[in-house]
């Protein structure tokens, strides 16, 4: 049994009987253990985001590289212990959305967690129609943009309640909203949020 703390390198083997000890110099070599990855947290991020990711596993000591695939830059990483690495990564704006493999390389080899990380598209808003509503009014509003599928919430700011929203396509959402009778008059930012990012349209809607 080789301990996980055993120093890598050549070892001398010895055999002892009543008459003495026989040795074989460099008779056994202890290799660096191969790393493994058990989990990644957070498990997802959106295009253009820079975040810190914690990677858990085993035998990370001496790690030389951490990778999340094409168009994801590992800005830096810190080996906190043999079982944890913290990596600062930036998701490229053109990074292909979807599942990614995460890998850690040490002298003992490369560990890969298949589909361990997900890149989400960055949602955006290009227009709102109608672009205004009166105090006390309930109406349907069409939000046009990109990467809207997967959006989990829609916001129109204080005093406006989003009663419901429906995905028409990846580029269009219909939201039913109610403007409070005392909602502040003026322009509002409209936002769409997916699990990793927020898209905003400044002054996209006005309360009149």
């Amino acid at each position: 049994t080789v301990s996980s703390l055993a120093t890598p390198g050549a070892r001398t083997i010895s055999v002892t009987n009543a008459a003495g000890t026989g040795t074989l110099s460099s008779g056994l070599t202890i290799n660096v253990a191969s790393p493994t990855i058990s989990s990644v947290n957070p498990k997802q991020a959106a295009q253009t985001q820079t975040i810190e990711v914690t990677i858990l596993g085993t035998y990370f000591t001496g790690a030389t590289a951490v990778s999340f695939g094409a168009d994801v830059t590992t800005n830096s990483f810190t080996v906190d212990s043999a079982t944890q690495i913290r990596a600062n990564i930036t998701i490229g704006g053109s990074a292909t959305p979807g599942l990614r493999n995460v890998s850690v390389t040490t002298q003992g080899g490369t560990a890969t967690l298949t589909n361990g990380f997900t890149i989400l598209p960055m949602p955006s808003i290009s227009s709102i129609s109608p672009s205004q509503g009166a105090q006390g009014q309930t109406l349907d509003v069409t939000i046009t943009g990109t990467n809207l599928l997967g959006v989990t919430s829609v916001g129109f700011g204080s005093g406006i309640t989003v009663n419901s929203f429906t995905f028409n396509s990846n580029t269009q959402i219909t939201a039913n909203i109610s403007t409070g009778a005392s909602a502040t008059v003026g322009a509002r930012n409209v936002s769409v949020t997916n699990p990793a990012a927020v898209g905003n349209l400044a002054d996209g809607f006005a309360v009149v």
Side-chain angles (χ1 to χ4, degrees):
T1 300
V2 181
S3 166
S4 62
L5 301 177
T7 302
R11 297 297 183 93
T12 297
I13 301 174
S14 64
V15 177
T16 302
N17 66 15
T21 300
T23 62
L24 177 61
S25 179
S26 301
L28 178 71
T29 299
I30 305 298
N31 294 317
V32 177
S34 298
T36 67
I37 302 174
S38 58
S39 66
V40 175
N41 185 48
K43 298 179 182 295
Q44 58 189 14
Q47 294 164 323
T48 75
Q49 277 195 308
T50 295
I51 63 168
E52 185 172 276
V53 178
T54 299
I55 304 170
L56 300 180
T58 60
Y59 303 113
F60 288 157
T61 301
T64 57
V66 174
S67 175
F68 288 75
D71 295 320
V72 180
T73 301
T74 302
N75 304 310
S76 63
F77 65 89
T78 302
V79 181
D80 295 325
S81 68
T83 60
Q84 179 174 297
I85 290 175
R86 285 178 295 117
N88 182 276
I89 65 173
T90 297
I91 315 298
S94 59
T96 303
L99 294 168
R100 295 298 184 92
N101 296 343
V102 181
S103 66
V104 173
T105 300
T106 71
Q107 289 183 339
T110 298
T112 300
L113 182 61
T114 303
N115 297 337
F117 191 78
T118 302
I119 295 178
L120 299 173
M122 175 67 76
S124 68
I125 304 172
S126 57
S127 65
I128 306 292
S129 180
S131 59
Q132 63 182 28
Q135 293 170 317
Q137 186 178 15
T138 295
L139 73 162
D140 287 333
V141 175
T142 299
I143 302 169
T144 301
T146 60
N147 300 319
L148 299 180
L149 288 176
V151 162
T152 56
S153 67
V154 175
F156 283 76
S158 176
I160 299 179
T161 300
V162 178
N163 304 310
S164 64
F165 62 91
T166 303
F167 297 103
N168 302 324
S169 68
N170 194 41
T171 60
Q172 190 178 88
I173 289 174
T174 298
N176 181 267
I177 66 172
S178 295
T179 303
S182 59
T184 302
V185 172
R188 301 295 185 86
N189 296 342
V190 181
S191 65
V192 288
T193 304
N194 70 19
V198 179
N200 283 292
L201 181 60
D203 299 336
F205 189 81
V207 176
V208 295

